[in-house]
Amino acid sequence: WIAVFGALSMFGSVGIMFKEPPDSSGSRPDPVLFQAFNALGIFVIGVPMIVYEIQQQLLSGGSNPFEWFDWLGVIGAVDIIIVSFWANLSTQLIGYAMAPAILNGVGMVTSFIIGKLYFREEINNPIGATNSLLILVAGVGLLAITNLQSLYVHQEIAAKERRQTEKYKLSSRNSNLDSNLSSNSNSNSNSNSSSNS
């Protein structure tokens, strides 16, 4: 239950660091580098647990201290690294409000299908399970539509700001050209008047 409540309270916040604001040069954290540090942090936290499991096996008189090891865990770790990379990239591209909802919704539907077709898991209430999946898909779809509209508005605002910036740069460039032309004409007139005199 501690793990359940910890997941409920912290799971929704793990992607906040994906949406880190750009630095002074305007670039966001690289997803590959970010995931490399993420994997390193998980490994460092997991080392004490590995040591504890080995000690427990030795104290219990087990002949193989790595009896707890399972290759499925390695496959799961690689899977999480790949998924986190795409979660990071998608969050930077479409936002934190929409990316986790789509990823988690697709993941739930995929897990349900794999559990039923591959692992032959029994569904006690098919009608309830089907309705739950339909509600989940509808919720993700509505959220995506809402966020796409918001994304469109933000893009329009950004495009308007870019146009204003380009217009300001163009006007300042034209004013500089005008001032240069006027200074050149003044210098030419001065040189002509001095030569005439």
Side-chain angles (χ1 to χ4, degrees):
W1 286 106
I2 295 175
V4 171
F5 285 116
L8 288 174
S9 61
M10 299 181 66
F11 183 75
S13 63
V14 295
I16 292 177
M17 65 270 302
F18 292 167
K19 200 62 179 172
E20 185 177 347
D23 57 13
S24 58
S25 65
S27 60
R28 296 186 180 275
D30 182 76
V32 175
L33 186 61
F34 184 92
Q35 190 52 36
F37 281 108
N38 188 19
L40 179 62
I42 293 172
F43 175 76
V44 170
I45 293 174
V47 167
M49 299 180 186
I50 295 173
V51 173
Y52 174 77
E53 288 291 337
I54 293 174
Q55 286 179 344
Q56 290 297 110
Q57 289 291 332
L58 293 175
L59 290 175
S60 63
S63 59
N64 183 11
F66 293 97
E67 187 178 352
W68 51 271
F69 183 79
D70 191 350
W71 281 105
L72 290 177
V74 177
I75 296 173
V78 173
D79 178 66
I80 287 178
I81 290 174
I82 296 172
V83 169
S84 296
F85 164 77
W86 290 113
N88 187 340
L89 188 61
S90 62
T91 301
Q92 291 184 16
L93 292 175
I94 63 176
Y96 189 57
M98 186 162 56
I102 294 175
L103 293 173
N104 293 332
V106 172
M108 290 177 190
V109 173
T110 305
S111 299
F112 178 84
I113 294 173
I114 292 174
K116 177 60 181 172
L117 298 180
Y118 183 76
F119 293 105
R120 307 293 182 184
E121 294 178 351
E122 183 180 356
I123 300 175
N124 295 327
N125 189 350
I127 296 175
T130 304
N131 290 335
S132 299
L133 289 176
L134 292 175
I135 292 171
L136 176 66
V137 172
V140 171
L142 291 174
L143 184 62
I145 292 171
T146 304
N147 281 278
L148 282 176
Q149 291 176 347
S150 175
L151 184 64
Y152 176 76
V153 171
H154 287 300
Q155 287 177 345
E156 286 292 320
I157 294 173
K160 185 178 180 181
E161 291 176 352
R162 283 196 301 271
R163 287 193 296 268
Q164 290 177 348
T165 304
E166 291 173 359
K167 185 178 179 181
Y168 173 76
K169 288 180 180 179
L170 184 62
S171 62
S172 63
R173 190 181 304 123
N174 290 334
S175 64
N176 289 334
L177 288 174
D178 292 339
S179 63
N180 289 333
L181 288 174
S182 62
S183 63
N184 288 335
S185 62
N186 290 333
S187 63
N188 289 333
S189 63
N190 292 334
S191 63
N192 290 331
S193 61
S194 61
S195 64
N196 291 331
S197 63

